[in-house]
Amino acid sequence: MRTHRRHGRDRVLLASGSGSAAPARAAAPPANGAGEPGSPALKVITTRHPGRWVAAAAIAVLLAMVASALITNPAWEWEVVGEFLFAPSVLRAVVFTLELTALGIVFGFLLGTVLALMRLSRNTLLSSAAWGYIALFRSIPLILQLLFWYNLALLYPRLSFGVPFGPAFFDIGTMDLIGPVTAAALGLALHQAAYAAEIVRAGLLSVDRGQREAAAALGIPRTRQLLRIVLPQAMRSIVPTAGNEIIGLVKGTSVVYIMALPELFYQVQVIYNRNGRVMALLLVATVWYLVMTSVMSVAQHYIERHYAKGRA
């Protein structure tokens, strides 16, 4: 008799010389290897997976080829990479890149949360305004938005604050109010808010409506319902997508090079335009982007694990 059983992911074949079915409790042999008196010994045969070994061997060969291409080709100029990897100007550019990312994410998700709540509002004007904002800023490329804010003074040399279509209380020069760094942070935040709004809205909708109804039946205020009941549960859906957006924004800050701001990509361009070591300096930027995104990926993993507590 031959029977098949599942042990984990591998199928095993239990072979027996008897023609009758053995009891279920006797399917696996005792720890000492001996069967019950009078019953034949069972032989366990593990199912082989040759495809896995072939795929693993192919991947190993490809990795070895990539390592060989990186190590043996002198055009990579690894000594130049080591020279500029921790250069003061490069480190300052890395810090500035992280600052731009933080500004874009913090203000982007704050505004995005407000927009998400507006989208979920029963007020037609609020939901329509939020929908229009999201549709507009998701349709315009980030580089165009940055250029628009950077050149806003061409449209409005001075910004006035007062009653619409009425008297102005005071005004200020646009160049004094919106400098290059402010324009970059503003463009990144407003662009990110459109995507953050949909991420937060999807997370809020993922929470069962019965949670809100139960909280309302207990007389819990709506703000407390949102902050203490709905949002913690919604974070399980928000965090993975938000983490991807943060990592994407780290790389997206490279677009501000058009504004001559000293972020990482612009700084390595300045260096290789001066010394001609193009590939080595591009590799320096690559290494730093890998480091930043890897650290954020690890942080995302632990945050996801924190909010996954209690999930069955």
Side-chain angles (χ1 to χ4, degrees), residues 59-69:
I59 294 297
V61 171
L62 289 175
L63 290 176
M65 293 172 63
V66 171
S68 175

Side-chain angles (χ1 to χ4, degrees), residues 225-273:
Q225 292 178 31
L226 176 65
L227 296 179
R228 300 300 298 273
I229 298 175
V230 177
L231 194 57
Q233 297 180 71
M235 290 296 287
R236 297 173 179 174
S237 301
I238 292 174
V239 169
T241 313
N244 292 337
E245 285 294 317
I246 295 173
I247 292 173
L249 189 61
V250 172
K251 299 175 290 183
T253 55
S254 60
V255 179
V256 306
Y257 83 93
I258 60 172
M259 306 164 68
L261 290 175
E263 52 81 38
L264 180 57
F265 182 60
Y266 177 83
Q267 191 60 43
V268 298
Q269 282 185 308
V270 171
I271 298 174
Y272 72 60
N273 285 331

